[in-house]
Amino acid sequence: MGEIKVSPDYNWFRSTVPLKKIIVDDDDSKIWSLYDAGPRNIRCPLIFLPPVSGTADVFFRQILALTGWGYRVIALQYPVYWDHLEFCDGFRKLLDHLQLDKVHLFGASLGGFLAQKFAEYTHKSPRVHSLILCNSFSDTSIFNQTWTANSFWLMPSFMLKKIVLGNFSSGPVDPVMADAIDFMVDRLESLGQSELASRLTLNCQNSYVEPHKIRDIPVTIMDVFDQSALSTEAKEEMYKLYPNARRAHLKTGGNFPYLCRSAEVTLYVQIHLLQFHGTKYAAIDPSMVSAEELEVQKGNLSISQEEQ
């Protein structure tokens, strides 16, 4: 059994933060699963969107840390949607149900692409106040799978899992990264055929982000310098798309830095959200804001990066 799954932190998270299930579509088989933690008086929380292989709890370390600092954090798991428009419409209904007019989005890989598409979808009546895009992309053609996207729904579960696992790191990694991969494999095993097929369809069907529709949204691009499923070309394309974006680079972290480099990821999230403190779009309880504490955290980040 993986180290993360039996860790005290994970067990504490699962025992203290309830998993909610919400239906917002006419089709009652479309169920959103989510963890909503932190002060409910915050009306512009940070929402985490997982990658193809992820469930809502892959962000448990960010949820524990950020709620401890006074942030409201929501982590989601998607229902089965087969195209981007359907996803965006469902996500908008979910925000309406939660009575959230605007939100900050942290999207990992597919989650980052969907976050951009949702910002684009709602650009005339904005619902996204800012974006953090972790190991993400802006054009699905980079996967060279657009021609097979419409056949994923026919494939058996084992074949879909094999496709996803093909993007996991196969070379030597440090023990913490190995634990993160084990945990993600376990999460992947928990997904059903239709969940996986729909996510792969969203990941690969022909689509790209139209940056002119979301150019006014503050963006932080978070990526790693070591091996990940994202090509150098895909990263460069993101930098070109968002020339004014802040950049949060991690020396290592692979595909899942939020699990294996969680302290650094959490700090970069705090730095991103700091610009909204004192406004109605703050994701943190005003009584919990402490610039001095954040400076201490920045110092810790510098030390951890030097150690790497």
Side-chain angles (χ1 to χ4, degrees), residues 37-225:
R40 291 298 186 277
N41 61 311
I42 300 303
R43 305 311 306 154
C44 189
L46 174 65
I47 298 183
F48 284 88
L49 304 176
V52 168
S53 56
T55 47
D57 56 355
V58 302
F59 301 110
F60 78 94
R61 287 180 165 148
Q62 282 70 46
I63 295 172
L64 290 176
L66 290 167
T67 54
W69 288 89
Y71 291 88
R72 183 180 178 187
V73 180
I74 298 171
L76 297 178
Q77 193 167 320
Y78 324 117
V80 173
Y81 290 123
W82 296 102
D83 66 58
H84 302 115
L85 190 62
E86 187 188 23
F87 166 84
C88 290
D89 190 52
F91 190 29
R92 178 185 55 77
K93 290 175 184 171
L94 178 70
L95 295 186
D96 291 345
H97 176 87
L98 296 171
Q99 298 181 307
L100 301 173
D101 290 333
K102 293 193 87 173
V103 293
H104 306 281
L105 297 181
F106 178 111
S109 191
L110 169 63
F113 182 72
L114 294 176
Q116 294 170 84
K117 294 301 287 183
F118 183 70
E120 179 189 293
Y121 172 78
T122 58
H123 78 281
K124 289 183 179 176
S125 180
R127 303 297 293 269
V128 179
H129 197 64
S130 76
L131 291 167
I132 304 172
L133 306 172
C134 177
N135 281 350
S136 197
F137 54 92
S138 59
D139 189 335
T140 59
S141 66
I142 62 167
F143 298 109
N144 299 317
Q145 292 259 20
T146 51
W147 58 277
T148 57
N150 292 330
S151 61
F152 287 130
W153 68 278
L154 290 166
M155 295 183 186
S157 192
F158 79 88
M159 196 178 291
L160 296 170
K161 287 173 182 173
K162 191 175 178 182
I163 291 170
V164 176
L165 288 170
N167 289 314
F168 283 24
S169 297
S170 54
V173 294
D174 66 52
V176 182
M177 288 175 69
D179 286 343
I181 293 168
D182 285 347
F183 185 73
M184 292 301 290
V185 170
D186 181 78
R187 299 296 81 203
L188 176 64
E189 289 295 331
S190 73
L191 297 173
Q193 190 275 345
S194 58
E195 287 177 292
L196 258 182
S198 68
R199 292 182 186 197
L200 280 168
T201 301
L202 294 176
N203 200 80
C204 298
Q205 70 181 191
N206 198 17
S207 184
Y208 58 89
V209 175
E210 300 177 60
H212 63 281
K213 291 184 178 177
I214 52 178
R215 66 160 64 99
D216 297 327
I217 296 176
V219 175
T220 291
I221 296 173
M222 186 182 298
D223 52 24
V224 298
F225 285 151

